[in-house]
Amino acid sequence: QVALVESGGGLVQAGGSLRLSCAASGRTFSRYAVGWFRQAPGKDREFVLSISGSGVMTTSADFVKGRFTISRDNAKNTVYLHMNSLKPEDTAVYYCAAHERWTGRGPYDYWGQGTQVTVSS
């Protein structure tokens, strides 16, 4: 099993940047694919980006359009979501999730508690 904790959310102006972190417990973290999802008020949760355990494979949602990237540091058991050119419509709770092999957009078995990102116009 793996436990996930997100951090790095906050309030940012449109056009700004944030880096979210997803810290994982466990000694076999490098076997786990990790995905980032988000849920805005009144909307369904949606997929953002994912990365394989080795970091070789990634998948992104169409709306990312090069603004967001994903990376991981297995030595630190951490996956990062780098968000640039933020827009008010990026406001949401961002969640990371893990699955013990590559799964792209899902399904994922383990979820963090989420971190709030608010983009002001």
Side-chain angles (χ1 to χ4, degrees):
Q1 288 192 345
V2 62
L4 305 171
V5 178
E6 302 95 336
S7 62
L11 175 64
V12 63
Q13 288 189 332
S17 299
L18 278 176
R19 187 185 75 169
L20 305 184
S21 298
C22 174
S25 65
R27 289 173 287 184
T28 59
F29 180 62
S30 61
R31 297 210 306 250
Y32 287 80
V34 173
W36 283 97
F37 294 78
R38 69 184 188 181
Q39 187 166 22
K43 295 188 177 180
D44 293 335
R45 185 173 63 197
E46 64 179 346
F47 170 77
V48 180
L49 278 161
S50 61
I51 189 167
S52 62
S54 65
V56 170
M57 293 183 288
T58 62
T59 300
S60 63
D62 290 342
F63 68 81
V64 168
K65 294 181 180 178
R67 296 187 300 125
F68 297 179
T69 59
I70 190 170
S71 65
R72 67 188 296 156
D73 184 342
N74 285 337
K76 296 181 178 180
N77 277 15
T78 302
V79 171
Y80 303 98
L81 177 63
H82 309 266
M83 303 187 294
N84 299 310
S85 302
L86 283 162
K87 305 174 182 179
E89 52 263 44
D90 293 319
T91 295
V93 178
Y94 284 71
Y95 300 89
C96 65
H99 184 75
E100 197 178 354
R101 57 183 173 271
W102 176 239
T103 186
R105 297 168 183 256
Y108 287 86
D109 305 304
Y110 306 100
W111 292 81
Q113 83 290 347
T115 186
Q116 176 71 48
V117 172
T118 302
V119 184
S120 63
S121 57

